[in-house]
Amino acid sequence: MPHIKLDENLPGITGILNYRQDTALPIRQLTHLLLRGESTLTQGERELIAAVVSYGNECKFCTAAHTAAADLLLGEKETCELVKTDLANAPVSDKMKALLTIARAVQVNGRNVTTAMAEKAKAAGATDLELHDTVLIAALFSLYNRLVDGLASVTPAEPAFYDRLAHILKDKGYLPSENRYAGLT
């Protein structure tokens, strides 16, 4: 049961963002820019970062939501599962492996990102902007994870919920919109 009164039809971060829309708007705008804006990283790769960080933070709602979004954007379900559990053998580029390693470090503590990690990512082809955005996505999703778990938001158990949410995130992105969650319930 959530620690504050949230719309019971909007579980996870959706209810928290709906609870206080004035604080939600800048967070949504930043999330949309980072995950759906122009980037040399694909939308699927950016969702992988969100999923890996959420998995590391043990946030079940965000892990399920961003795993489903990554799976939908990548068109398959194996890659996200492997980047969460066996990064060394995941079918992603060396650049993505290096960036995901940095994301995991940020998820624990930003000071855990080392010069060697940054240099390895750059040697694999990562740009300064990709490094910046990886760290920012990891930090932002750590915030989301702490909001969801810190307020004990409801976490649906059925995978179909997350599949519906993934389609909303793919089709509408992260900005507020009319009847945004109409297809969720």
Side-chain angles (χ1 to χ4, degrees):
M1 178 148 185
H3 298 311
I4 61 174
K5 184 161 177 50
L6 299 172
D7 184 333
E8 60 191 46
N9 295 314
L10 297 175
I13 196 66
T14 59
I16 294 167
L17 293 174
N18 191 60
Y19 174 79
R20 185 149 180 210
Q21 294 180 22
D22 59 334
T23 60
L25 182 60
I27 295 171
R28 283 183 178 278
Q29 290 169 328
L30 178 59
T31 306
H32 189 79
L33 175 67
L34 290 170
L35 272 65
R36 295 296 178 268
E38 287 189 34
S39 176
T40 51
L41 298 175
T42 69
Q43 291 181 14
E45 289 170 332
R46 291 176 276 168
E47 288 288 350
L48 287 176
I49 296 168
V52 163
V53 169
S54 299
Y55 180 79
N57 283 324
E58 300 177 6
C59 180
K60 291 179 181 173
F61 179 88
C62 295
T63 300
H66 296 285
T67 296
D71 290 349
L72 180 62
L73 288 162
L74 296 173
E76 46 88 3
K77 296 182 182 242
E78 294 77 31
T79 299
C80 192
E81 204 53 45
L82 281 171
V83 298
K84 292 185 302 190
T85 61
D86 186 13
L87 182 57
N89 293 308
V92 295
S93 68
D94 288 341
K95 176 178 85 170
M96 274 311 297
K97 287 178 182 178
L99 292 174
L100 289 164
T101 298
I102 289 169
R104 285 179 169 175
V106 170
Q107 168 255 311
V108 175
N109 184 323
R111 290 184 298 272
N112 288 354
V113 178
T114 65
T115 300
M117 287 177 184
E119 292 303 322
K120 184 173 183 176
K122 288 179 182 183
T127 65
D128 285 350
L129 184 59
E130 289 169 340
L131 284 167
H132 172 275
D133 288 358
T134 296
V135 170
L136 188 49
I137 292 167
L140 180 62
F141 276 87
S142 289
L143 170 108
Y144 277 138
N145 302 155
R146 285 157 179 79
L147 274 169
V148 168
D149 291 339
L151 291 171
S153 185
V154 172
T155 299
E158 64 277 359
F161 170 86
Y162 299 100
D163 291 338
R164 291 190 303 273
L165 180 57
H167 281 280
I168 291 169
L169 295 176
K170 178 182 175 276
D171 297 339
K172 296 184 179 184
Y174 290 89
L175 296 175
S177 61
E178 189 75 24
N179 296 319
R180 176 174 181 76
Y181 298 114
L184 201 53
T185 56

